[in-house]
Amino acid sequence: MPPRARDIRSFRAVGPYTLRFCLDMTDTFLTTAGWPRPWVQWLGLAIVLGIGLLVRLDAPEIGLMEARNFVAAREMHAGGSWLLPTMNGELRLAKPPLPTWLVAGVMHLTGSTTDLGLLRLPSAAGACLLVLFFWALARRLTPPQDRGRTAWLAAVVLASSLLLLTAGRDGNGWDIYCYCFMTGALAAAVRGLQSPGRGWGWFAAAGALIGLSILSKGPVAPYGMLLPFLLACALRGDRAALRRHWPGLVLMAGVGLLLGAAWPLYVLGQHLSEASQVAQTESSSWANRHVQPVWFYVSFPAFMGFWALAAGAALAWPYAAPRIRPYAPYALLLAWALATLVLLSLVPEKKERYLLPVLPPLALLTAGLLRYWLSALRPTGADQWLLRAWAGVVGLALLALPVALRLVRLASFAPETPRYWLTSGLAVAAAAATWWLWRSGARARAAVAATLSAVLLASGLLMPAYPEWQRRRDDPGLRPLARVVRERAGLRHQPVLSVGEMQIKWIWAAGRVVPQWRPEVDSLPQLPVLVYAGARGTAPFPPSVARRFQIETVDSFDLSHQFADGRWYVTEIRPRP
């Protein structure tokens, strides 16, 4: 039954005037085929990205990798070198500087070095740009007669996937930027491969984006995204286009290497020994740090979040291939996803966030299957069971949310708070809408609507409360370093040292560079001086220092969320009267 006829049947019971109004509104937002008009597509994607990536960016506590990036950016902003970054006053050559430049730029523009919401904006913007680049790429990979519908679905799926949302809200930046620019490079390269002429401009743009990707995280994205895509194209793509445009591909590689190698070559010219040592350490870490078995990534569809069931079904060749082929190049996308998975699995060092390059091909595969389900008049057989399981699980999760909020007992979601009733009401309304769509026969729409509702609820209302969930078992009366620094002006203005190495998150909380002091060999700067140390009084210092100076512990701070995790002390050293 055509979409227009279904609309008429659905609204017939409400009267002719209401029916005419509803049909007029439908024509405003939807095409005659029942698909969102272009401006509605942009608006819908903007809502998903805005709620998913921008709501309460300041809520989560700072992470380890974030602290490293923000400390280096703070020192750039304070007058340090932009070409030779430092972290707590020491050279920081382990990571390329582009993510740090972006955060330092935000500090310059806003004047703030402490607002986590502002400092995480570049990562969120990088995630948004990744989705837009992917949308452009997907339009080029899907058939022209599809009119971009599958590509738009793929962009929505990617924008609401679990791993992209968590990576985009994390200010460490390196992964999101390198794959953002590499996705743009693939979109430009495919445009060049499909051009009737040489496509020099597109290949040059692709090379520039590859260079920016290298400046974000070195060769990670060329290995984790570009190489598997080229392998997939060679195996299941248009080999004739690759042969015809080999000069453009050479130009792309040359521009990318020239731009990407500029900063490493500069560093080698300035600090050859330090750069060589860092390169050796970083290369060995791939084999010795965070080592996981080769099957560690086998659960990769789970990182699609609420889309996981559809993503898993899209990988089942006998079932999914005939359904997806009319809407997307199934063999190419499956080869791209599997090649990425294999190459990532070959590296001994593995982390969940390293799976980010698997998401684009998996999102387009998932969108192809959604496109089939949405186009089917009434799914039957395996499609019926999959949609029933998917919509049922998400719908039950929405209904269970009010009960779960009562059980976890977070203060911000107490039953007497408006936030609890708003979240519960929206969850129940979304579950009811899912049931109504299912009963009216729009079963694929019911599953998609339930999934998007769950993602938006989790992103807009639940994710900002995650830090409260983490701190629910905190000991009362904790004094973190940031609070001590706010209360003691001397920690912001007097010379400050540390005895022993301070964790980088403490350096961030200290708000400034804290040089490490070795009392046995290093002299003191002008007195008085404040010292962070792991013990109180004269215990951290040799007897010679204790005899010469007046030493007094003036404060302390807790290292974590429980007193049992330890405490450091703030000691003031003055000349003896």
Side-chain angles (χ1 to χ4, degrees):
M1 183 182 296
R4 184 79 172 196
R6 288 203 300 267
D7 290 339
I8 294 175
R9 187 184 67 178
S10 301
F11 291 114
R12 182 169 295 174
V14 300
Y17 296 106
T18 306
L19 174 62
R20 187 178 301 112
F21 173 78
C22 292
L23 291 178
D24 289 343
M25 291 300 295
T26 300
D27 290 339
T28 302
F29 292 98
L30 304 177
T31 65
T32 55
W35 283 88
R37 296 189 181 278
W39 71 269
V40 179
Q41 293 181 7
W42 280 98
L43 178 62
L45 188 60
I47 291 173
V48 173
L49 289 172
I51 295 177
L53 293 170
L54 300 178
V55 172
R56 288 302 311 274
L57 267 179
D58 61 321
E61 295 180 358
I62 192 168
L64 176 63
M65 297 300 293
E66 281 187 309
R68 291 174 178 171
N69 193 22
F70 293 171
V71 166
R74 185 174 64 193
E75 292 176 21
M76 282 184 183
H77 172 67
S81 172
W82 286 60
L83 290 177
L84 296 172
T86 59
M87 187 173 69
N88 198 34
E90 299 181 357
L91 278 175
R92 169 68 169 163
L93 305 179
K95 301 288 185 184
L98 183 56
T100 311
W101 290 343
L102 294 174
V103 177
V106 170
M107 291 179 178
H108 270 291
L109 290 174
T110 64
S112 173
T113 61
T114 58
D115 189 328
L116 293 178
L118 290 174
L119 303 185
R120 287 169 176 151
L121 275 178
S123 288
C128 293
L129 193 58
L130 191 157
V131 172
L132 295 179
F133 279 145
F134 171 67
W135 191 5
L137 173 63
R139 288 184 67 90
R140 286 287 159 181
L141 294 178
T142 51
Q145 60 271 22
D146 185 60
R147 300 182 182 179
R149 293 164 183 169
T150 304
W152 175 71
L153 278 175
V156 172
V157 170
L158 180 62
S160 53
S161 61
L162 176 63
L163 184 55
L164 182 120
L165 291 176
T166 54
R169 297 176 71 93
D170 190 340
N172 82 59
W174 285 284
D175 290 283
I176 201 72
Y177 296 138
C178 74
Y179 289 119
C180 161
F181 293 124
M182 188 56 71
T183 304
L186 295 185
V190 169
R191 187 71 180 267
L193 289 171
Q194 293 179 350
S195 63
R198 286 295 185 180
W200 296 114
W202 291 111
F203 287 114
L209 289 166
I210 290 174
L212 293 176
S213 175
I214 295 173
L215 286 174
S216 299
K217 205 179 178 182
V220 170
Y223 175 82
M225 180 174 270
L226 178 61
L227 179 57
F229 182 80
L230 293 177
L231 288 174
C233 287
L235 292 173
R236 294 291 182 176
D238 188 351
R239 300 186 188 90
L242 292 174
R243 290 193 295 268
R244 185 171 65 253
H245 289 284
W246 70 264
L249 294 172
V250 171
L251 173 66
M252 178 182 75
V255 172
L257 289 174
L258 185 64
L259 179 59
W263 181 76
L265 291 175
Y266 173 80
V267 170
L268 286 173
Q270 298 293 317
H271 296 276
L272 177 59
S273 60
E274 292 91 340
S276 301
Q277 183 178 358
V278 167
Q280 183 178 0
T281 302
E282 288 295 307
S283 59
S284 64
S285 70
W286 281 56
N288 302 316
R289 190 171 57 187
H290 303 293
V291 175
Q292 300 291 346
V294 70
W295 58 84
F296 180 73
Y297 292 136
V298 71
S299 61
F300 67 97
F303 291 92
M304 296 293 292
F306 288 106
W307 304 102
L309 191 148
L315 295 170
W317 182 297
Y319 165 78
R323 289 166 168 79
I324 296 177
R325 282 195 190 108
Y327 307 109
Y330 185 82
L332 172 67
L333 295 172
L334 186 63
W336 180 13
L338 293 180
T340 304
L341 189 67
V342 169
L343 290 177
L344 293 176
S345 299
L346 293 177
V347 179
E349 183 185 17
K350 298 178 179 67
K351 295 179 182 178
E352 286 84 356
R353 59 186 169 89
Y354 292 173
L355 275 173
L356 199 58
V358 182
L359 295 190
L362 191 56
L364 190 46
L365 284 170
T366 305
L369 188 56
L370 294 179
R371 182 77 170 83
Y372 170 80
W373 285 339
L374 290 167
S375 300
L377 294 180
R378 193 173 185 87
T380 58
D383 302 310
Q384 174 85 351
W385 284 104
L386 283 169
L387 287 171
R388 180 173 296 172
W390 181 18
V393 168
V394 181
L396 288 175
L398 289 169
L399 287 175
L401 182 59
V403 178
L405 291 176
R406 281 180 174 267
L407 293 176
V408 297
R409 298 180 180 178
L410 296 179
S412 60
F413 283 99
E416 62 273 11
T417 61
R419 191 175 185 183
Y420 170 80
W421 290 105
L422 174 63
T423 305
S424 300
L426 290 174
V428 172
T434 301
W435 179 82
W436 181 82
L437 285 170
W438 184 273
R439 294 285 294 175
S440 65
R443 297 181 175 176
R445 294 189 180 188
V448 172
T451 297
L452 288 175
S453 300
V455 170
L456 295 179
L457 270 174
S459 302
L461 293 172
L462 299 181
M463 194 176 292
Y466 180 66
E468 186 181 354
W469 165 263
Q470 288 181 306
R471 296 192 296 266
R472 69 192 186 281
R473 294 192 178 94
D474 283 9
D475 291 334
L478 292 167
R479 282 181 60 79
L481 178 56
R483 176 180 173 184
V484 174
V485 170
R486 285 196 304 268
E487 294 175 355
R488 289 195 167 272
L491 289 171
R492 302 190 297 272
H493 305 299
Q494 291 180 223
V496 179
L497 306 171
S498 71
V499 175
E501 184 176 2
M502 292 182 68
Q503 293 183 13
I504 193 61
K505 292 171 72 170
W506 306 348
I507 299 295
W508 168 252
R512 58 189 298 189
V513 174
V514 183
Q516 189 172 346
W517 177 45
R518 296 168 297 173
E520 300 84 359
V521 295
D522 296 337
S523 59
L524 283 169
Q526 67 180 49
L527 299 178
V529 63
L530 292 168
V531 178
Y532 294 112
R536 65 166 56 249
T538 60
F541 311 108
S544 58
V545 173
R547 287 193 300 268
R548 293 170 53 201
F549 303 103
Q550 180 178 334
I551 298 175
E552 179 186 4
T553 297
V554 296
D555 214 326
S556 64
F557 63 93
D558 298 291
L559 305 184
S560 186
H561 299 292
Q562 283 80 38
F563 291 126
D565 293 332
R567 174 174 292 184
W568 267 41
Y569 299 87
V570 182
T571 298
E572 187 175 40
I573 301 180
R574 293 179 172 275
R576 285 194 175 276

